[in-house]
Amino acid sequence: MLKVILIASGKGGTGKTSLTASAGAALAQLGRKVLVMDGDCGLRNLDLVLGMSDAAVFSFADAARDTVPLTRAAAAHPVIAGLHLLTAPAEPPTLTNAQMEHLSRSADEAGFDYLLIDGPAGLPEELSLYAHIATQGIVVTMPDPASIRGAERVARRMEQSCIMRIRLVVNRVRPRLIRHGLAANIDDVMDAAGLPLLGLVPEDEDVIACAGSGKSVVQVKKTGAAQAYRNIARRLEGERLPLMKF
Ligand SMILES: Nc1ncnc2c1ncn2[C@@H]1O[C@H](COP(=O)(O)OP(=O)(O)O)[C@@H](O)[C@H]1O
Ligand SMILES: [Mg+2]
């Protein structure tokens, strides 16, 4: 049964695309068939982060409208078996809920276990299209007040869209700042966002270096953010894992 997970945030640049790419890669490494979809139409970059900018010709809008079959629109990752990409159209498309349902049904029929939607920042119109088919939500925030406030707003919007299971990922965690009282601690972030925690991802330069070279950090590293993304993938699979110690 396909799980459709919408990854969103209030503020931009919180780490949605990095999470989509790396959690998708980690789920594929666990043997799952994963479709990652770029839902950030104006600012699409999931293809770049995955090193697949030349791979995809058709967008999710083509697959939703049934202009091409989903199996043709989805491009297979050149290295990671089981990972597939669906890119965004250049402009936010006008699609109906029924067309989005067609997209998720096609992904289910094609044998995908996961459809991870790399959402746009904030609350643009297309978010409700994605929320319509999402069975779960992940809100990504950094531990600063502006991101946390944005996370809270997006969380409430997802709840209104009747997404049953919404969890929080706190990204770019810097334990030293938390220890010195210079950043919100994780309990405070969870309280403010009003969501249970799916995972903590540490600040890690390798995330930036890997994105620049079109590789996922989980392909090249075992520790730091790579381990955090792997743990998140295992929690999505239903495993109970303790939070990473910093
Ligand atoms: N845990 C992290 N440590 C260091 N840099 C990160 C981390 N997560 C994301 N980044 C960097 O932050 C920037 C924004 O991340 P991105 O995933 O594109 O955010 P979004 O999709 O929410 O706009 C990118 O340059 C990315 O490499
Ligand atoms: Mg992004």
Side-chain angles (χ1 to χ4, degrees), residues 76-152:
H77 190 278
V79 180
I80 304 171
L83 182 61
H84 301 253
L85 168 71
L86 206 46
T87 53
E91 301 290 331
T94 37
L95 290 171
T96 61
N97 284 342
Q99 286 170 321
M100 291 307 290
E101 285 164 22
H102 173 74
L103 178 73
S104 68
R105 205 168 39 247
S106 308
D108 195 20
E109 284 164 9
F112 285 102
D113 299 298
Y114 287 91
L115 169 56
L116 304 184
I117 305 177
D118 178 18
L123 303 167
E125 244 171 59
E126 62 269 31
L127 195 71
S128 29
L129 283 177
Y130 309 148
H132 179 70
I133 57 167
T135 52
Q136 294 185 38
I138 300 176
V139 176
V140 185
T141 187
M142 298 187 296
D144 66 276
S147 300
I148 297 167
R149 182 180 289 171
E152 201 253 323

Side-chain angles (χ1 to χ4, degrees), residues 76-223:
H77 190 278
V79 180
I80 304 171
L83 182 61
H84 301 253
L85 168 71
L86 206 46
T87 53
E91 301 290 331
T94 37
L95 290 171
T96 61
N97 284 342
Q99 286 170 321
M100 291 307 290
E101 285 164 22
H102 173 74
L103 178 73
S104 68
R105 205 168 39 247
S106 308
D108 195 20
E109 284 164 9
F112 285 102
D113 299 298
Y114 287 91
L115 169 56
L116 304 184
I117 305 177
D118 178 18
L123 303 167
E125 244 171 59
E126 62 269 31
L127 195 71
S128 29
L129 283 177
Y130 309 148
H132 179 70
I133 57 167
T135 52
Q136 294 185 38
I138 300 176
V139 176
V140 185
T141 187
M142 298 187 296
D144 66 276
S147 300
I148 297 167
R149 182 180 289 171
E152 201 253 323
R153 291 198 57 201
V154 166
R156 299 295 85 79
R157 166 64 79 85
M158 282 182 164
E159 283 164 1
Q160 284 163 10
S161 305
C162 299
I163 299 177
M164 298 303 286
R165 188 158 203 204
I166 308 166
R167 285 176 284 180
L168 186 71
V169 167
V170 186
N171 186 28
R172 306 192 80 155
V173 175
R174 289 187 242 185
R176 211 171 58 83
L177 291 189
I178 293 173
R179 275 199 300 273
H180 289 81
L182 297 171
N185 79 46
I186 304 304
D187 283 342
D188 295 343
V189 179
M190 285 166 62
D191 280 352
L195 294 176
L197 196 61
L198 175 65
L200 302 175
V201 183
E203 173 76 26
D204 186 338
E205 285 180 350
D206 288 317
V207 175
I208 303 168
C210 286
S213 64
K215 278 199 178 123
S216 166
V217 73
V218 298
Q219 283 172 273
V220 294
K221 266 193 80 183
K222 296 251 179 295
T223 54

Side-chain angles (χ1 to χ4, degrees), residues 16-17 40 43 45 118-119:
K16 296 177 294 299
T17 301
D40 198 357
L43 302 167
N45 65 343
D118 178 18

